[in-house]
Amino acid sequence: MANISRTNLVEMLNDLKNGMLKMELLVEENLEKLLDFLKASTEEKMSFPKSERLNDVKTNDLTIRSLGDGLENKAVKILSLQAPVGHDLRFVISSFRMIYDFERVSRDAYNAFVKMLDVPDSDISKLNDQYKVFETSIDNSKRLLKHFVNLYQSEENPSSDLLKKTIDESILLDNEIDDLFKASSEQVLSLVHNQGLEIESGYYLLSAIRSLERVGDHVCNLIERALYIQTGTKYEIK
Amino acid sequence: MSNQLNLPKSLSAKEFAEEFSKMRKEQTRGLEELKFPTFPSQDVAIEFKNFSLSYGEAPESLYNLSLQIPRNKITAIIGPSGCGKSTFLRSINRMNEEISPVKIAGELLVEGKNVYSPDVDVLQLRTQVGMIFQKPQPFPLSIYNNVIFGPKIHGIKSKAQLDEIVQKTLKDVGLWEEVEQRLNDHAYGLSGGQQQRLCIARALAVNPAILLGDEPASALDPQSTYQIEDLFLKLKEKYTIVIVTHNMQQAARISDYCIFMYSGNIIEYRKTDEMFENPHFRLTENYISGRYG
Ligand SMILES: Nc1ncnc2c1ncn2[C@@H]1O[C@H](COP(=O)(O)OP(=O)(O)OP(=O)(O)O)[C@@H](O)[C@H]1O
Ligand SMILES: [Mg+2]
């Protein structure tokens, strides 16, 4: 009884898990790049370098997509060949949603990036601390992602301390993102009305803000999935 | 792996119960205490009340079981070899004592009546509780005579009545069209799956309330297995069905409730879908996921 069998299933599950974590790394890297980019812009009050960064982010995004397709196939194989149950079952079925959420995080981050680059140089100087707000929002999403990884990688049946900490802090971080979203949307509108920010620029900024808010939502979905995998219970943190 | 239960190999059911109660908390994956399902009394077909059974002078093979099995549902019993599944099943129609002398403690109620009370007519009980075995075991008789074997013992003599029983039960098990033209052929001429359905028809012919199956499909090819599974799903409208199976997917496919036994104890008993999505105990999870060898 002590020796573990079904090595084939265990290998397939590990393979899927490693793939998911690889995806997470790429997503995290994209958020990181976005953050660097914003920091550079705010510090130097300079126009956005139409840099290779965009290409990097785009490349990652494409890699994430093809990785996602491959992982979906792996999950289907496990379901069809191994009839997983319990934790294994929750892990495999959650992968489908999680692949989607990873793809969305990456795509929304990329979209935010693109929209910011659309703001013409002439308007950049009119922005106050908008980018600081963006930074905070992305930073929160990164921290949410850390919570996700912690939980996802933890042994099954995480301690109630870890659960509570993950849930409480995630709720706080997500709420903060939502508040930032509301506040900065209003600020942008007021810039358009009072500071002569071009309407188009306002639109680009609002789209970017919206995308960043979605990034947070999708990372929250990932955390909810990880909670379900590890506990069998469906928690809501949004 | 921390998920394993490190117990000395040869614990009796009673010793296991004591050890397990100590590690219960840690085994529950930190979840809330789980209670076995209970049902309104009119929906209870079988009830174990602090029921223990031992063979001869050996320690208990079933220890202190208390649970209710609902009417018109399929309840599956799963668990590793030697954990007591067959013993559990045979307790219900008192077949254990056919094999060897047994000692009983507690009560086992079928339709509200303790089947171990002295006034119980065991033959009557076995009419009420039919049993289907792993290997189809038709009698060395014609198809027709297999079906009417029980009714005849119960004194039914009228040919018309017997014909009717044959037709009705063979239809119930989906065999009628296949054998209508050769009712007087020897039962051994049927395929394994057909023989098994014939055995089910034979059990149904005496109007039981409960059907027990001890791995009833494990000797059959996939096609016949699915036929038997479909049959059980249909029969549960009229009968209470309890089956032992080593096939986890079969338990998942057909049972409403699932009982996981281990070392003469019931570890987990709950709705099947819940058990397979989120088993309560590590021990259950390890077993149903096939994670120990
Ligand atoms: N007739 C018997 N006499 C003595 N001991 C028995 C008898 N039948 C079963 N046992 C013992 O009772 C325990 C439970 O056996 P049982 O056959 O009920 O297990 P099981 O779960 O049906 O196993 P399997 O999956 O191999 O069929 C075992 O320890 C077995 O050795
Ligand atoms: Mg058995």
Side-chain angles (χ1 to χ4, degrees), chain B residues 11 81 132 144:
Chain B
L11 286 183
S81 189
I132 297 130
Y144 185 91

Side-chain angles (χ1 to χ4, degrees), chain A residues 1-6 9-10 13 83 85-90 155-157 228 230-234, chain B residues 1-6 9 29 31 249 262 275-279 282-283 285 288-293:
Chain A
M1 189 184 103
N3 49 346
I4 306 296
S5 61
R6 299 202 70 180
L9 168 64
V10 174
L13 292 168
V85 294
H87 181 271
D88 300 341
L89 175 68
R90 300 196 301 272
E155 283 284 301
E156 191 195 347
N157 317 314
Y228 169 67
Q230 302 296 37
T231 66
T233 308
K234 289 181 171 146
Chain B
M1 218 168 115
S2 64
N3 277 2
Q4 298 303 312
L5 194 62
N6 290 315
K9 269 262 179 244
R29 311 168 42 228
L31 302 170
Q249 289 313 305
Y262 195 94
M275 181 118 109
F276 279 80
E277 183 191 350
N278 193 12
R282 292 166 199 275
L283 197 56
E285 172 132 27
I288 63 174
S289 64
R291 293 292 196 89
Y292 48 48

Side-chain angles (χ1 to χ4, degrees), chain A residues 88-184:
Chain A
D88 300 341
L89 175 68
R90 300 196 301 272
F91 171 76
V92 177
I93 54 174
S94 298
S95 300
F96 293 103
R97 263 276 299 275
M98 288 168 52
I99 290 166
Y100 170 77
D101 281 315
F102 278 131
E103 287 175 355
R104 290 313 314 176
V105 172
S106 166
R107 182 48 59 97
D108 284 328
Y110 175 72
N111 285 344
F113 211 113
V114 169
K115 288 296 170 208
M116 285 178 214
L117 288 176
D118 281 342
V119 178
D121 292 355
S122 54
D123 263 350
I124 304 266
S125 58
K126 295 180 192 138
L127 305 178
N128 301 324
D129 51 359
Q130 261 65 45
Y131 292 117
K132 271 269 174 287
V133 171
F134 292 180
E135 271 176 51
T136 315
S137 174
I138 296 171
D139 204 52
N140 277 14
S141 289
K142 274 185 59 195
R143 283 158 66 186
L144 283 167
L145 214 45
K146 275 270 170 297
H147 279 300
F148 161 77
V149 174
N150 263 341
L151 193 63
Y152 189 69
Q153 283 192 308
S154 72
E155 283 284 301
E156 191 195 347
N157 317 314
S159 67
S160 49
D161 283 353
L162 175 61
L163 277 184
K164 191 170 162 16
K165 185 167 166 261
T166 305
I167 294 170
D168 291 351
E169 289 184 16
S170 301
I171 290 175
L172 281 181
L173 288 167
D174 184 54
N175 283 345
E176 203 182 350
I177 294 178
D178 289 348
D179 293 345
L180 284 173
F181 167 70
K182 286 190 200 100
S184 74

Side-chain angles (χ1 to χ4, degrees), chain A residues 198-234:
Chain A
E198 290 296 331
I199 288 191
E200 276 190 359
S201 299
Y203 165 74
Y204 294 143
L205 285 167
L206 286 176
S207 306
I209 294 166
R210 180 93 189 99
S211 293
L212 290 181
E213 192 229 353
R214 286 213 195 99
V215 167
D217 281 349
H218 289 294
V219 183
C220 286
N221 289 344
L222 289 167
I223 295 172
E224 287 177 353
R225 286 283 128 180
L227 285 164
Y228 169 67
I229 293 173
Q230 302 296 37
T231 66
T233 308
K234 289 181 171 146

Side-chain angles (χ1 to χ4, degrees), chain B residues 85-86 214-215 244:
Chain B
K85 301 179 296 297
S86 299
D214 198 344
E215 304 178 45
V244 167

